[in-house]
Amino acid sequence: MDEAKPFDIPKREVWEAFKKVKANQGAAGVDGQSIADFEADLSNNLYKLWNRMSSGSYFPPPVRRVDIPKADGGTRPLGIPTVADRVAQEVARRYLEPHLEPVFHADSYGYRLGKSAIDAVRQARQRCWRYDWVLDLDVKAYFDSIDWELMLKAVRHHTNCPWVLLYIERWLKAPMQMEDGSVVPRTAGTPQGGVVSPSLANLFLHYAFDMWMKRTYPHIPFERYADDVICHCKSAEEAQVLWSALADRFAACKLVLHPEKTKIVYCKDANRRGEFPNQSFDFLGFSFRARKTVWQGHIPAHGFMPAASPKALTAISRKIRRWTLHQRSDKSLQELANMYNPYIQGWINYYGNFYRTQLRSTLKRIDLYVIRWARAPPAMAAHVDARHVLQGVIDKARVAKRIFRASAAESLGREMITLFACQDIEPPGRARHPANQDHFVIHVGSALV
């Protein structure tokens, strides 16, 4: 019976946790069990998990380590728990989050309800206009360096729930299974990839940084998204003093500021024309630097503004290239759109929030690939009815305009006219003559509306 269990964990919470884990998907852990495999015997799996958690006998299995390539050539270790362990962590996260959310700092944006990375970038942009200097902080290997005793001390400050404290400690100390199959113990950190890890990492820096800044430097505003931190200063000297003080503070919390990636940046624009070594910084996928803009609707100037960073644009370009759209001749344009529109819309929705034109040249690559895809139809015999061919071109271009972008549709229409000319096919109802070529392009364009 439920009353006999030492820990009161409602079965409903386990069910709700599974629904969240299923929605997030994710890879299998060390047991190789996928979400579909787990769901095949869902009732028994959830009951077994609830029974063990409620009785205190649940011990998390090792976390599977996967090294994710970074833009600078290095790798980031990612820890992937099993599906069952992700459900168990979600149960704890659902309990812990309502206790933590009210106490977090207003300028902490990571993994919080009602806050986003875009909110952090927007606030940073506003403050960069008011403050001349920025201290761009980088905590070296943050998720792997969190001290367990300090972490548990912070958790105990907000809850005395015995099962939450018990399982958080077990999750922190769960071993890591390497890619070669060996299992190694861990002595610090919380696996980046665990369900409860973001909440724990946020809580740790809440005390290590947010509250310390509020007590010691209340006049210096900042934005923090997990371990990405930007501080705004009025002078280079103030930024240097803060850097030194933060190095000591983080050392006391057993963290280290990256000596090369942490830097002081001058926010240069039309009104701030000094020359200093660092005049740009990256934050959450955006690069802040002086950019062309228009003030008061008509005055050309340079403002210190964010836009999609070169690293982000390079990552997008590589992703588009790996799609090999031009080789997907077995797919219709609608099928291609269904496959890739979520990516395209996500990039536009995120990076298009600031200095949208920075995306133009990168996303133009999609247009070019769509055109290459359209220029590789099956070979057409001489007796093919050109009217049917043209109607296919118009249909493709119309769908291209609706699904991708108008520029792709226009280019597609013009390329297909070139295709007709090269294959000596008469456009239906019109003699192919140089004088009529432009008019025919307009005719095809009008069909796209």
Side-chain angles (χ1 to χ4, degrees):
M1 296 177 62
D2 296 0
E3 291 78 5
K5 303 294 184 183
F7 299 140
D8 181 19
I9 302 176
K11 292 179 181 178
R12 184 71 184 182
E13 284 298 302
V14 180
W15 168 244
E16 294 296 334
F18 168 74
K19 290 196 295 184
K20 180 72 172 181
V21 170
K22 181 181 177 181
N24 292 336
Q25 291 298 305
V30 295
D31 59 358
Q33 186 180 50
S34 66
I35 292 178
D37 296 334
F38 186 89
E39 198 172 12
D41 192 16
L42 183 60
S43 180
N44 287 334
N45 286 331
L46 291 183
Y47 178 80
K48 182 167 57 176
L49 179 62
W50 167 83
N51 188 48
R52 291 178 177 178
M53 291 189 71
S54 298
S55 63
S57 61
Y58 176 74
F59 287 87
V63 177
R64 182 168 71 92
R65 172 169 170 155
V66 176
D67 291 323
I68 306 299
K70 296 171 62 176
D72 59 7
T75 59
R76 175 181 289 107
L78 187 68
I80 303 178
T82 63
V83 175
D85 195 42
R86 295 207 293 272
V87 175
Q89 291 190 35
E90 178 63 20
V91 173
R93 190 201 65 81
R94 287 170 58 85
Y95 176 90
L96 196 59
E97 188 175 75
H99 293 77
L100 302 181
E101 181 61 31
V103 303
F104 282 149
H105 195 282
D107 284 314
S108 170
Y109 295 89
Y111 315 113
R112 295 187 60 190
L113 295 173
K115 290 182 177 288
S116 68
I118 293 300
D119 295 330
V121 174
R122 183 175 292 110
Q123 184 68 276
R125 179 185 64 168
Q126 295 288 336
R127 287 171 172 163
C128 283
W129 293 340
R130 301 198 303 268
Y131 293 81
D132 293 350
W133 295 86
V134 157
L135 176 59
D136 181 10
L137 299 176
D138 187 281
V139 183
K140 189 175 182 179
Y142 171 62
F143 278 83
D144 296 329
S145 304
I146 294 175
D147 181 77
W148 290 343
E149 288 303 318
L150 293 176
M151 183 76 264
L152 290 171
K153 180 181 178 181
V155 175
R156 292 189 193 102
H157 185 70
H158 294 279
T159 181
N160 59 0
C161 179
W163 68 268
V164 171
L165 296 173
L166 172 67
Y167 291 129
I168 285 180
E169 183 172 4
R170 289 180 182 177
W171 283 316
L172 288 174
K173 297 179 179 180
M176 182 82 71
Q177 179 176 295
M178 310 302 287
E179 293 186 346
D180 61 2
S182 61
V183 177
V184 298
R186 296 170 44 253
T187 58
T190 178
Q192 191 170 358
V195 174
V196 78
S197 292
S199 297
L200 297 179
N202 221 13
L203 179 62
F204 192 90
L205 276 183
H206 172 73
Y207 288 107
F209 177 78
D210 299 357
M211 292 298 97
W212 181 85
M213 284 289 292
K214 186 176 180 179
R215 293 192 308 269
T216 313
Y217 292 94
H219 60 287
I220 297 181
F222 65 87
E223 297 84 35
R224 181 176 69 81
Y225 191 97
D227 59 329
D228 291 328
V229 187
I230 299 297
C231 301
H232 302 270
C233 302
K234 294 183 177 179
S235 66
E237 292 75 16
E238 184 179 60
Q240 190 63 56
V241 170
L242 178 61
W243 186 348
S244 178
L246 279 171
D248 294 339
R249 170 60 180 175
F250 281 1
C253 298
K254 302 183 181 181
L255 298 174
V256 177
L257 286 177
H258 199 294
E260 298 175 0
K261 295 182 179 179
T262 299
K263 59 183 180 179
I264 297 174
V265 179
Y266 178 63
C267 302
K268 181 177 181 178
D269 60 17
N271 295 326
R272 298 172 290 193
R273 304 193 178 191
E275 291 294 336
F276 295 92
N278 296 318
Q279 297 179 164
S280 67
F281 67 90
D282 287 358
F283 184 50
L284 302 178
F286 291 89
S287 182
F288 284 70
R289 64 173 178 83
R291 302 181 187 277
K292 292 180 179 180
T293 185
V294 176
W295 289 352
Q296 299 179 3
H298 65 281
I299 304 175
H302 281 78
F304 196 80
M305 303 171 66
S309 69
K311 289 182 180 179
L313 295 176
T314 298
I316 292 174
S317 295
R318 288 174 177 170
K319 186 73 172 180
I320 294 171
R321 185 166 62 249
R322 287 197 295 268
W323 291 347
T324 59
L325 282 171
H326 57 295
Q327 297 178 0
R328 303 279 182 158
S329 57
D330 59 322
K331 304 290 184 182
S332 69
L333 194 58
Q334 183 65 56
E335 289 174 323
L336 293 178
N338 293 339
M339 293 168 62
Y340 301 119
N341 259 4
Y343 296 95
I344 300 169
Q345 196 61 54
W347 293 329
I348 295 173
N349 288 347
Y350 186 74
Y351 295 108
N353 277 278
F354 308 100
Y355 216 80
R356 195 182 185 97
T357 55
Q358 189 77 1
L359 280 173
R360 184 175 297 162
S361 60
T362 300
L363 294 186
K364 187 72 174 176
R365 294 171 62 96
I366 300 174
D367 293 354
L368 300 178
Y369 278 117
V370 171
I371 292 168
R372 290 176 64 184
W373 168 85
R375 291 180 66 184
M380 290 184 292
H383 64 274
V384 170
D385 186 345
R387 184 178 301 278
H388 293 163
V389 176
L390 177 59
Q391 188 58 49
V393 173
I394 293 174
D395 290 343
K396 277 189 174 183
R398 182 184 292 113
V399 175
K401 179 176 182 180
R402 185 177 72 251
I403 296 176
F404 291 98
R405 294 157 64 219
S407 56
E410 292 177 14
S411 300
L412 181 56
R414 292 178 181 273
E415 289 291 336
M416 283 304 179
I417 298 308
T418 303
L419 180 63
F420 279 125
C422 292
Q423 297 198 14
D424 200 29
I425 299 176
E426 298 286 342
R430 195 180 310 277
R432 185 173 59 82
H433 188 276
N436 293 332
Q437 188 73 10
D438 290 339
H439 184 67
F440 182 61
V441 172
I442 294 173
H443 170 74
V444 173
S446 65
L448 303 181
V449 179

